[in-house]
Amino acid sequence: MGRDVSQGAYSREDRVRYRQKVRRCLDVFALMLDDFGFDADRPMTGLEIELNLIDSTAEPAMRNEEILAHIADPLFQTELGQFNLELNALPRLIEGTGFADYAHDLRGSLARADERAAKSDAKILLVGILPTLTERHLIAENLSTNERYRALNDQIVGARGEDIELDINGVERLRTHTDSIAPEAACTSLQFHLQVAPDSFADYWNASQAIAAVQVAVGANSPYLYGRQLWAETRIALFEQATDTRPDELKAQGVRPRVWFGERWITSIFDLFEENVRYFPPLLPICEEEDPVEVLHAGGVPQLGELRLHNGTVYRWNRPVYDIMDGRPHLRVENRVLPAGPTVVDMLANAAFYFGLARALAEADRPIWSQLTFSSAEENFHAAARRGLDAVLHWPRLGDVPVTELVLDVLLPKAAAGLDGFGVAPAQRDRLLGVIEQRCRTGRNGATWQTEAVWAAERHRGLDREAALHHMVQRYAELQRSNEPVHTWPVD
């Protein structure tokens, strides 16, 4: 979905032609999986971080276009809301000191961006949902001006045919309606990319699905929306609801949502692309000039533009990616379950935990997905989003187990072994996984720090909820710049 869109209205003929083209791309993709040379010799990794812009009072700053012009760095792009940016880290290997290189690059890029944002009286905040957002901020007028976001909004709202309902029942409850997808802009995430070979893709995707709940529980950082304390990772529920194209009748018929955990373990990446084509009507039916069959027969590398665009409008929490780099095609798992923040070191700890654990489980002699039902993995995912570090998950041979116990006793050693498999330097491995360990021992991640800080501001400072949230965000912004992991942050 990272492409520009110049059209906003599509004819019936556009949709028919696009559907035919997508299916042609799918057929070519199947042929490529059989005998094409995909790049998988040394698996690269990648990170994307979605950012919030705030002003001096901790309110969202609707200035992304102006700030992008100041930053003048192609690694930064617009995102859905005018108070959002996205940073795409340069892909790299994580062997040796790869994580230290990520840290150096990310801290440098963010510091330069923050310095340039200051010219517009703004600063950057790494958080899953900006706690000071209100309904007056998340309106269609505050979508970024890039035409692709307007087109996407029109297509999702048009497909639904009525306002989008938000109903999130957590510690407190939020029930409201919206006439646009603007609330989705509140969801700012941290996304990991892991390049894999075609014959091992299913193992890595299945492993990623199995551990998604654990990732969310340990990394939760989105407890507030519209002034209410909801889930530990409210971003999960909000994203699922804010982009739902189904009215109640289609939900009752079992029509699948576009934000989708999935419904089964897979045996090939083809399963996921085929499901996307079979189950989901096109949102942006834009056709390319390329004939992928002709390109393949001529010995070239097909772009498969229509298939990739369609894939980008189905929001799996672990998305399959086909891409081309330096003329060679490759496949990636795009892990999309985590929120941004709180600090660079926290995000890299989350990355080390994911990359290491995914590898260990994908290469295990007895696959976790042969022992855990898919429905249990999905139930775990939503339980973790609700409860964070207090979640109890179902795990093979252990039954129902507190997530902190599961991580400390079972999963951290596996993640360490997986990082060893990547050749990560032991000092890097131990430092980053140590952050995950300490979150579990202290019971503090971004979500718990936020709620404790708001509670302290309300009880000890006598602030109302709105003032407490603004006070907390300003304190969060100060502590974020220290790059000390969130489990060490004081609660004032």
PDB file of all heavy atoms in Angstrom, residues 180-209:
ATOM      1  N   SER A 180     -15.415   7.967   8.869  1.00  0.00           N
ATOM      2  CA  SER A 180     -14.197   7.816   8.074  1.00  0.00           C
ATOM      3  C   SER A 180     -13.279   6.817   8.771  1.00  0.00           C
ATOM      4  O   SER A 180     -13.548   6.379   9.889  1.00  0.00           O
ATOM      5  CB  SER A 180     -13.471   9.165   7.928  1.00  0.00           C
ATOM      6  OG  SER A 180     -12.806   9.498   9.133  1.00  0.00           O
ATOM      7  N   ILE A 181     -12.177   6.485   8.093  1.00  0.00           N
ATOM      8  CA  ILE A 181     -11.191   5.580   8.696  1.00  0.00           C
ATOM      9  C   ILE A 181     -10.149   6.342   9.503  1.00  0.00           C
ATOM     10  O   ILE A 181      -9.151   5.756   9.931  1.00  0.00           O
ATOM     11  CB  ILE A 181     -10.479   4.713   7.627  1.00  0.00           C
ATOM     12  CG1 ILE A 181      -9.661   5.596   6.667  1.00  0.00           C
ATOM     13  CG2 ILE A 181     -11.484   3.855   6.868  1.00  0.00           C
ATOM     14  CD1 ILE A 181      -8.731   4.806   5.760  1.00  0.00           C
ATOM     15  N   ALA A 182     -10.405   7.645   9.751  1.00  0.00           N
ATOM     16  CA  ALA A 182      -9.415   8.457  10.461  1.00  0.00           C
ATOM     17  C   ALA A 182      -8.987   7.854  11.808  1.00  0.00           C
ATOM     18  O   ALA A 182      -7.805   7.985  12.177  1.00  0.00           O
ATOM     19  CB  ALA A 182      -9.941   9.875  10.654  1.00  0.00           C
ATOM     20  N   PRO A 183      -9.879   7.190  12.589  1.00  0.00           N
ATOM     21  CA  PRO A 183      -9.397   6.599  13.845  1.00  0.00           C
ATOM     22  C   PRO A 183      -8.272   5.588  13.662  1.00  0.00           C
ATOM     23  O   PRO A 183      -7.489   5.356  14.593  1.00  0.00           O
ATOM     24  CB  PRO A 183     -10.661   5.938  14.421  1.00  0.00           C
ATOM     25  CG  PRO A 183     -11.782   6.790  13.912  1.00  0.00           C
ATOM     26  CD  PRO A 183     -11.353   7.146  12.503  1.00  0.00           C
ATOM     27  N   GLU A 184      -8.170   4.992  12.467  1.00  0.00           N
ATOM     28  CA  GLU A 184      -7.062   4.065  12.222  1.00  0.00           C
ATOM     29  C   GLU A 184      -5.714   4.768  12.358  1.00  0.00           C
ATOM     30  O   GLU A 184      -4.703   4.142  12.712  1.00  0.00           O
ATOM     31  CB  GLU A 184      -7.178   3.453  10.825  1.00  0.00           C
ATOM     32  CG  GLU A 184      -6.123   2.414  10.509  1.00  0.00           C
ATOM     33  CD  GLU A 184      -5.986   2.123   9.031  1.00  0.00           C
ATOM     34  OE1 GLU A 184      -6.956   2.330   8.283  1.00  0.00           O
ATOM     35  OE2 GLU A 184      -4.886   1.693   8.635  1.00  0.00           O
ATOM     36  N   ALA A 185      -5.687   6.086  12.101  1.00  0.00           N
ATOM     37  CA  ALA A 185      -4.435   6.835  12.191  1.00  0.00           C
ATOM     38  C   ALA A 185      -3.885   6.856  13.615  1.00  0.00           C
ATOM     39  O   ALA A 185      -2.696   7.120  13.813  1.00  0.00           O
ATOM     40  CB  ALA A 185      -4.647   8.272  11.702  1.00  0.00           C
ATOM     41  N   ALA A 186      -4.741   6.564  14.592  1.00  0.00           N
ATOM     42  CA  ALA A 186      -4.266   6.496  15.975  1.00  0.00           C
ATOM     43  C   ALA A 186      -3.347   5.304  16.196  1.00  0.00           C
ATOM     44  O   ALA A 186      -2.572   5.286  17.163  1.00  0.00           O
ATOM     45  CB  ALA A 186      -5.464   6.403  16.928  1.00  0.00           C
ATOM     46  N   CYS A 187      -3.423   4.305  15.327  1.00  0.00           N
ATOM     47  CA  CYS A 187      -2.675   3.056  15.507  1.00  0.00           C
ATOM     48  C   CYS A 187      -1.276   3.208  14.913  1.00  0.00           C
ATOM     49  O   CYS A 187      -1.100   3.118  13.697  1.00  0.00           O
ATOM     50  CB  CYS A 187      -3.393   1.897  14.815  1.00  0.00           C
ATOM     51  SG  CYS A 187      -5.093   1.654  15.362  1.00  0.00           S
ATOM     52  N   THR A 188      -0.291   3.470  15.743  1.00  0.00           N
ATOM     53  CA  THR A 188       1.074   3.611  15.249  1.00  0.00           C
ATOM     54  C   THR A 188       1.893   2.403  15.690  1.00  0.00           C
ATOM     55  O   THR A 188       2.026   2.124  16.870  1.00  0.00           O
ATOM     56  CB  THR A 188       1.705   4.932  15.722  1.00  0.00           C
ATOM     57  OG1 THR A 188       1.327   5.191  17.069  1.00  0.00           O
ATOM     58  CG2 THR A 188       1.227   6.077  14.864  1.00  0.00           C
ATOM     59  N   SER A 189       2.426   1.701  14.709  1.00  0.00           N
ATOM     60  CA  SER A 189       2.977   0.377  14.969  1.00  0.00           C
ATOM     61  C   SER A 189       4.462   0.300  14.687  1.00  0.00           C
ATOM     62  O   SER A 189       5.076   1.190  14.096  1.00  0.00           O
ATOM     63  CB  SER A 189       2.241  -0.672  14.115  1.00  0.00           C
ATOM     64  OG  SER A 189       2.493  -0.457  12.735  1.00  0.00           O
ATOM     65  N   LEU A 190       5.027  -0.800  15.140  1.00  0.00           N
ATOM     66  CA  LEU A 190       6.406  -1.204  14.864  1.00  0.00           C
ATOM     67  C   LEU A 190       6.322  -2.497  14.070  1.00  0.00           C
ATOM     68  O   LEU A 190       5.723  -3.470  14.532  1.00  0.00           O
ATOM     69  CB  LEU A 190       7.147  -1.435  16.178  1.00  0.00           C
ATOM     70  CG  LEU A 190       8.509  -2.133  16.119  1.00  0.00           C
ATOM     71  CD1 LEU A 190       9.528  -1.280  15.379  1.00  0.00           C
ATOM     72  CD2 LEU A 190       9.001  -2.456  17.529  1.00  0.00           C
ATOM     73  N   GLN A 191       6.896  -2.498  12.877  1.00  0.00           N
ATOM     74  CA  GLN A 191       6.766  -3.657  11.994  1.00  0.00           C
ATOM     75  C   GLN A 191       8.141  -4.248  11.693  1.00  0.00           C
ATOM     76  O   GLN A 191       9.081  -3.514  11.379  1.00  0.00           O
ATOM     77  CB  GLN A 191       6.056  -3.243  10.693  1.00  0.00           C
ATOM     78  CG  GLN A 191       4.649  -2.724  10.941  1.00  0.00           C
ATOM     79  CD  GLN A 191       4.059  -1.999   9.743  1.00  0.00           C
ATOM     80  OE1 GLN A 191       4.521  -2.165   8.620  1.00  0.00           O
ATOM     81  NE2 GLN A 191       3.046  -1.189   9.994  1.00  0.00           N
ATOM     82  N   PHE A 192       8.217  -5.573  11.801  1.00  0.00           N
ATOM     83  CA  PHE A 192       9.458  -6.286  11.516  1.00  0.00           C
ATOM     84  C   PHE A 192       9.320  -7.043  10.203  1.00  0.00           C
ATOM     85  O   PHE A 192       8.278  -7.649   9.934  1.00  0.00           O
ATOM     86  CB  PHE A 192       9.784  -7.294  12.618  1.00  0.00           C
ATOM     87  CG  PHE A 192       9.890  -6.692  13.987  1.00  0.00           C
ATOM     88  CD1 PHE A 192       9.286  -7.308  15.075  1.00  0.00           C
ATOM     89  CD2 PHE A 192      10.582  -5.517  14.199  1.00  0.00           C
ATOM     90  CE1 PHE A 192       9.371  -6.767  16.345  1.00  0.00           C
ATOM     91  CE2 PHE A 192      10.680  -4.958  15.461  1.00  0.00           C
ATOM     92  CZ  PHE A 192      10.072  -5.586  16.540  1.00  0.00           C
ATOM     93  N   HIS A 193      10.376  -7.035   9.412  1.00  0.00           N
ATOM     94  CA  HIS A 193      10.419  -7.798   8.173  1.00  0.00           C
ATOM     95  C   HIS A 193      11.520  -8.843   8.279  1.00  0.00           C
ATOM     96  O   HIS A 193      12.646  -8.527   8.690  1.00  0.00           O
ATOM     97  CB  HIS A 193      10.699  -6.877   6.979  1.00  0.00           C
ATOM     98  CG  HIS A 193       9.585  -5.939   6.667  1.00  0.00           C
ATOM     99  ND1 HIS A 193       8.732  -6.120   5.595  1.00  0.00           N
ATOM    100  CD2 HIS A 193       9.155  -4.819   7.296  1.00  0.00           C
ATOM    101  CE1 HIS A 193       7.839  -5.142   5.571  1.00  0.00           C
ATOM    102  NE2 HIS A 193       8.079  -4.336   6.602  1.00  0.00           N
ATOM    103  N   LEU A 194      11.196 -10.069   7.904  1.00  0.00           N
ATOM    104  CA  LEU A 194      12.167 -11.161   7.940  1.00  0.00           C
ATOM    105  C   LEU A 194      12.130 -11.889   6.608  1.00  0.00           C
ATOM    106  O   LEU A 194      11.115 -12.480   6.229  1.00  0.00           O
ATOM    107  CB  LEU A 194      11.841 -12.132   9.076  1.00  0.00           C
ATOM    108  CG  LEU A 194      12.776 -13.334   9.224  1.00  0.00           C
ATOM    109  CD1 LEU A 194      14.219 -12.881   9.437  1.00  0.00           C
ATOM    110  CD2 LEU A 194      12.319 -14.221  10.380  1.00  0.00           C
ATOM    111  N   GLN A 195      13.239 -11.824   5.871  1.00  0.00           N
ATOM    112  CA  GLN A 195      13.336 -12.487   4.572  1.00  0.00           C
ATOM    113  C   GLN A 195      13.497 -13.986   4.781  1.00  0.00           C
ATOM    114  O   GLN A 195      14.293 -14.426   5.616  1.00  0.00           O
ATOM    115  CB  GLN A 195      14.534 -11.922   3.829  1.00  0.00           C
ATOM    116  CG  GLN A 195      14.707 -12.429   2.416  1.00  0.00           C
ATOM    117  CD  GLN A 195      15.914 -11.783   1.754  1.00  0.00           C
ATOM    118  OE1 GLN A 195      16.261 -10.644   2.048  1.00  0.00           O
ATOM    119  NE2 GLN A 195      16.560 -12.528   0.873  1.00  0.00           N
ATOM    120  N   VAL A 196      12.722 -14.771   4.025  1.00  0.00           N
ATOM    121  CA  VAL A 196      12.767 -16.226   4.172  1.00  0.00           C
ATOM    122  C   VAL A 196      12.724 -16.893   2.799  1.00  0.00           C
ATOM    123  O   VAL A 196      12.249 -16.309   1.819  1.00  0.00           O
ATOM    124  CB  VAL A 196      11.598 -16.765   5.040  1.00  0.00           C
ATOM    125  CG1 VAL A 196      11.741 -16.297   6.474  1.00  0.00           C
ATOM    126  CG2 VAL A 196      10.257 -16.327   4.475  1.00  0.00           C
ATOM    127  N   ALA A 197      13.208 -18.124   2.732  1.00  0.00           N
ATOM    128  CA  ALA A 197      13.168 -18.905   1.495  1.00  0.00           C
ATOM    129  C   ALA A 197      11.757 -19.437   1.276  1.00  0.00           C
ATOM    130  O   ALA A 197      11.015 -19.663   2.234  1.00  0.00           O
ATOM    131  CB  ALA A 197      14.156 -20.060   1.571  1.00  0.00           C
ATOM    132  N   PRO A 198      11.361 -19.661   0.015  1.00  0.00           N
ATOM    133  CA  PRO A 198      10.009 -20.156  -0.249  1.00  0.00           C
ATOM    134  C   PRO A 198       9.668 -21.433   0.502  1.00  0.00           C
ATOM    135  O   PRO A 198       8.556 -21.571   1.030  1.00  0.00           O
ATOM    136  CB  PRO A 198      10.016 -20.387  -1.768  1.00  0.00           C
ATOM    137  CG  PRO A 198      11.045 -19.445  -2.294  1.00  0.00           C
ATOM    138  CD  PRO A 198      12.099 -19.378  -1.237  1.00  0.00           C
ATOM    139  N   ASP A 199      10.615 -22.378   0.594  1.00  0.00           N
ATOM    140  CA  ASP A 199      10.281 -23.659   1.213  1.00  0.00           C
ATOM    141  C   ASP A 199      10.209 -23.591   2.737  1.00  0.00           C
ATOM    142  O   ASP A 199       9.765 -24.538   3.382  1.00  0.00           O
ATOM    143  CB  ASP A 199      11.262 -24.752   0.773  1.00  0.00           C
ATOM    144  CG  ASP A 199      12.711 -24.418   1.113  1.00  0.00           C
ATOM    145  OD1 ASP A 199      12.962 -23.331   1.661  1.00  0.00           O
ATOM    146  OD2 ASP A 199      13.590 -25.249   0.807  1.00  0.00           O
ATOM    147  N   SER A 200      10.661 -22.480   3.333  1.00  0.00           N
ATOM    148  CA  SER A 200      10.558 -22.340   4.785  1.00  0.00           C
ATOM    149  C   SER A 200       9.583 -21.248   5.195  1.00  0.00           C
ATOM    150  O   SER A 200       9.401 -20.991   6.390  1.00  0.00           O
ATOM    151  CB  SER A 200      11.934 -22.066   5.402  1.00  0.00           C
ATOM    152  OG  SER A 200      12.489 -20.871   4.889  1.00  0.00           O
ATOM    153  N   PHE A 201       8.940 -20.597   4.219  1.00  0.00           N
ATOM    154  CA  PHE A 201       8.048 -19.488   4.553  1.00  0.00           C
ATOM    155  C   PHE A 201       6.920 -19.934   5.480  1.00  0.00           C
ATOM    156  O   PHE A 201       6.617 -19.264   6.474  1.00  0.00           O
ATOM    157  CB  PHE A 201       7.451 -18.855   3.290  1.00  0.00           C
ATOM    158  CG  PHE A 201       6.604 -17.650   3.603  1.00  0.00           C
ATOM    159  CD1 PHE A 201       7.152 -16.380   3.564  1.00  0.00           C
ATOM    160  CD2 PHE A 201       5.271 -17.781   3.980  1.00  0.00           C
ATOM    161  CE1 PHE A 201       6.386 -15.265   3.897  1.00  0.00           C
ATOM    162  CE2 PHE A 201       4.503 -16.673   4.318  1.00  0.00           C
ATOM    163  CZ  PHE A 201       5.066 -15.411   4.272  1.00  0.00           C
ATOM    164  N   ALA A 202       6.282 -21.049   5.164  1.00  0.00           N
ATOM    165  CA  ALA A 202       5.143 -21.499   5.978  1.00  0.00           C
ATOM    166  C   ALA A 202       5.560 -21.724   7.427  1.00  0.00           C
ATOM    167  O   ALA A 202       4.824 -21.368   8.355  1.00  0.00           O
ATOM    168  CB  ALA A 202       4.544 -22.777   5.391  1.00  0.00           C
ATOM    169  N   ASP A 203       6.745 -22.293   7.645  1.00  0.00           N
ATOM    170  CA  ASP A 203       7.212 -22.533   9.014  1.00  0.00           C
ATOM    171  C   ASP A 203       7.378 -21.219   9.772  1.00  0.00           C
ATOM    172  O   ASP A 203       6.995 -21.105  10.941  1.00  0.00           O
ATOM    173  CB  ASP A 203       8.538 -23.300   8.997  1.00  0.00           C
ATOM    174  CG  ASP A 203       8.389 -24.717   8.458  1.00  0.00           C
ATOM    175  OD1 ASP A 203       7.247 -25.212   8.408  1.00  0.00           O
ATOM    176  OD2 ASP A 203       9.411 -25.314   8.088  1.00  0.00           O
ATOM    177  N   TYR A 204       7.963 -20.215   9.111  1.00  0.00           N
ATOM    178  CA  TYR A 204       8.182 -18.928   9.778  1.00  0.00           C
ATOM    179  C   TYR A 204       6.859 -18.190  10.002  1.00  0.00           C
ATOM    180  O   TYR A 204       6.677 -17.533  11.036  1.00  0.00           O
ATOM    181  CB  TYR A 204       9.163 -18.065   8.982  1.00  0.00           C
ATOM    182  CG  TYR A 204      10.600 -18.392   9.315  1.00  0.00           C
ATOM    183  CD1 TYR A 204      11.286 -19.405   8.641  1.00  0.00           C
ATOM    184  CD2 TYR A 204      11.264 -17.701  10.323  1.00  0.00           C
ATOM    185  CE1 TYR A 204      12.601 -19.712   8.962  1.00  0.00           C
ATOM    186  CE2 TYR A 204      12.582 -17.997  10.647  1.00  0.00           C
ATOM    187  CZ  TYR A 204      13.244 -19.002   9.968  1.00  0.00           C
ATOM    188  OH  TYR A 204      14.540 -19.312  10.300  1.00  0.00           O
ATOM    189  N   TRP A 205       5.946 -18.274   9.051  1.00  0.00           N
ATOM    190  CA  TRP A 205       4.646 -17.609   9.236  1.00  0.00           C
ATOM    191  C   TRP A 205       3.861 -18.280  10.360  1.00  0.00           C
ATOM    192  O   TRP A 205       3.297 -17.599  11.222  1.00  0.00           O
ATOM    193  CB  TRP A 205       3.842 -17.625   7.940  1.00  0.00           C
ATOM    194  CG  TRP A 205       2.584 -16.798   8.022  1.00  0.00           C
ATOM    195  CD1 TRP A 205       2.467 -15.455   7.802  1.00  0.00           C
ATOM    196  CD2 TRP A 205       1.273 -17.256   8.367  1.00  0.00           C
ATOM    197  NE1 TRP A 205       1.168 -15.049   7.984  1.00  0.00           N
ATOM    198  CE2 TRP A 205       0.406 -16.127   8.333  1.00  0.00           C
ATOM    199  CE3 TRP A 205       0.733 -18.496   8.695  1.00  0.00           C
ATOM    200  CZ2 TRP A 205      -0.959 -16.215   8.609  1.00  0.00           C
ATOM    201  CZ3 TRP A 205      -0.630 -18.588   8.977  1.00  0.00           C
ATOM    202  CH2 TRP A 205      -1.459 -17.464   8.934  1.00  0.00           C
ATOM    203  N   ASN A 206       3.825 -19.600  10.357  1.00  0.00           N
ATOM    204  CA  ASN A 206       3.112 -20.316  11.421  1.00  0.00           C
ATOM    205  C   ASN A 206       3.715 -19.998  12.790  1.00  0.00           C
ATOM    206  O   ASN A 206       2.990 -19.777  13.767  1.00  0.00           O
ATOM    207  CB  ASN A 206       3.158 -21.826  11.166  1.00  0.00           C
ATOM    208  CG  ASN A 206       2.293 -22.259   9.994  1.00  0.00           C
ATOM    209  OD1 ASN A 206       1.384 -21.541   9.575  1.00  0.00           O
ATOM    210  ND2 ASN A 206       2.575 -23.441   9.463  1.00  0.00           N
ATOM    211  N   ALA A 207       5.044 -19.983  12.864  1.00  0.00           N
ATOM    212  CA  ALA A 207       5.697 -19.646  14.129  1.00  0.00           C
ATOM    213  C   ALA A 207       5.338 -18.228  14.562  1.00  0.00           C
ATOM    214  O   ALA A 207       5.072 -17.967  15.749  1.00  0.00           O
ATOM    215  CB  ALA A 207       7.214 -19.794  13.996  1.00  0.00           C
ATOM    216  N   SER A 208       5.306 -17.299  13.605  1.00  0.00           N
ATOM    217  CA  SER A 208       4.969 -15.909  13.919  1.00  0.00           C
ATOM    218  C   SER A 208       3.546 -15.793  14.439  1.00  0.00           C
ATOM    219  O   SER A 208       3.272 -15.010  15.368  1.00  0.00           O
ATOM    220  CB  SER A 208       5.151 -15.030  12.677  1.00  0.00           C
ATOM    221  OG  SER A 208       6.505 -15.019  12.256  1.00  0.00           O
ATOM    222  N   GLN A 209       2.637 -16.550  13.870  1.00  0.00           N
ATOM    223  CA  GLN A 209       1.257 -16.536  14.359  1.00  0.00           C
ATOM    224  C   GLN A 209       1.179 -17.100  15.781  1.00  0.00           C
ATOM    225  O   GLN A 209       0.453 -16.577  16.632  1.00  0.00           O
ATOM    226  CB  GLN A 209       0.369 -17.376  13.436  1.00  0.00           C
ATOM    227  CG  GLN A 209       0.139 -16.781  12.058  1.00  0.00           C
ATOM    228  CD  GLN A 209      -0.812 -15.596  12.103  1.00  0.00           C
ATOM    229  OE1 GLN A 209      -0.394 -14.443  12.078  1.00  0.00           O
ATOM    230  NE2 GLN A 209      -2.096 -15.860  12.176  1.00  0.00           N
TER     231      GLN A 209
END
